[in-house]
Every structure is written in structure tokens, then in C-alpha cells.
Amino acid sequence: MTGCIARSDIFQHRLMEEPPPASATRRTRERYEQLVREAKALCASCPLFTECLYSAVAEHDVSGFVAGTTAVQRRSIRNLLDVEVQADDFDQLAGARGTRRPVSHEEVLRLRTQYPNDSLESLAMRLGCSLSTVKRHLRRARRGQSPAAKTPRPRPEVSAVLDAFDAVVDQQSQARRTGSSRVA
């Protein structure tokens, strides 16, 4: 059993989900630091540490304390590696469709071709988006302006994630030891 499962009282503590602000009481800040030390020790001995860290940095935008890192540290690691991770859309994963979901340009054009006699309002209802979204995509198509498709960034190597982890965590630990809170 991994440490995060065995000691959910630490990893799911409210302070680990949302670290205390600078205005928090000394006792609260000390409790947070104690929880972080305990969690780091558990993560350091975990056989799944590398996979957990890679997933939290390169695949999923998770909150709280994961793989020996805070959310701020994971953002710093991603910045070093030039990694962009989108937050998981839990509504989409659950199969729920909201009224304001992103619609691709190609999807609008495909439906317009498939249903040429439908009103634009009907297309918007089929797509689950606003009428203005449909109009915007059709205007772009008339002008020959197809939005540039984003080429996904390649995922970093596991070794690069581990090196960035060492750089960020060591740098922040060293800054704390010297009394400086500035991290380059």
C-alpha cells in the first residue's frame, strides 16, 4: 500500500489541498510544514514515485500534494520543461455536456455541410454552443481563415522531469535554509 493511501489523513488534509496564506497563524503554518515533511518522507520511499511525479507533471493537472511536490512546485517544473497540461474536464469524462463547451472549427463546418438547410440556431443546438460561435466559425470559413491547429508539444522524457524536480525542489529547499524566499 502506498503512503498516500495508507496515510490519507496527511495527503487529504485541507491544508495540503490549499496551503495557508502568509496571514495564517504561526500554528497553522507550522502544521502545514509538518504535514509537508511527513508527506515528502512517504513519497520518497514510495515505489511509484517516478510514475506519480511524471503523471502529475506531464499528463494531468492535479491539485494538492503529489509525488513530493506542491502545486506551485509542479508549475515551476512545467515551466522549466516548457510543458503545458490542461486541467481535466470532469464533466466531459462523466459524459455530461454543458452549455458552454468548446467547439472545433472543423466540427461546425462538418455539421453545416451535413445539414445545409438547417438554421444556424439549429446547428448551434446540435453542437451545444452559442449562435455567435457558429456564426464566427462560418465567417472564418468564408474568409478562408481556418484557425491554426495547435501542434501538441511532445511530452518530456522521464529523466528530464526528474532533473527538473531536483532543480526546483533543491532550489526551494536551499532558499528556505538561507532565509530567502526568492526562487529564480
Side-chain angles (χ1 to χ4, degrees), residues 42-154:
L42 290 166
C43 287
S45 64
C46 181
L48 300 176
F49 173 79
T50 302
E51 293 87 359
C52 186
L53 177 65
Y54 186 83
S55 178
V57 168
E59 296 173 352
H60 302 284
D61 186 14
V62 294
S63 64
F65 192 88
V66 178
T69 61
T70 63
V72 171
Q73 289 171 327
R74 288 189 300 278
R75 278 193 298 274
S76 295
I77 292 169
R78 286 188 197 110
N79 287 340
L80 274 178
L81 298 171
D82 194 28
V83 171
E84 188 176 307
V85 178
Q86 298 298 318
D88 288 331
D89 183 355
F90 293 110
D91 289 339
Q92 182 182 7
L93 293 172
R97 284 183 61 166
T99 59
R100 311 278 292 162
R101 71 177 186 87
V103 177
S104 76
H105 183 72
E106 292 75 24
E107 190 176 6
V108 172
L109 298 180
R110 182 186 61 76
L111 272 183
R112 185 59 175 165
T113 303
Q114 187 175 354
Y115 302 101
N117 298 324
D118 277 8
S119 68
L120 297 183
E121 291 87 359
S122 176
L123 289 176
M125 285 178 45
R126 286 181 191 273
L127 291 164
C129 66
S130 68
L131 175 61
S132 62
T133 298
V134 171
K135 287 180 177 180
R136 183 178 65 244
H137 284 288
L138 293 176
R139 270 194 310 272
R140 285 181 184 165
R142 279 194 308 272
R143 294 180 191 148
Q145 298 172 326
S146 179
K150 280 188 175 178
T151 55
R153 294 178 184 165

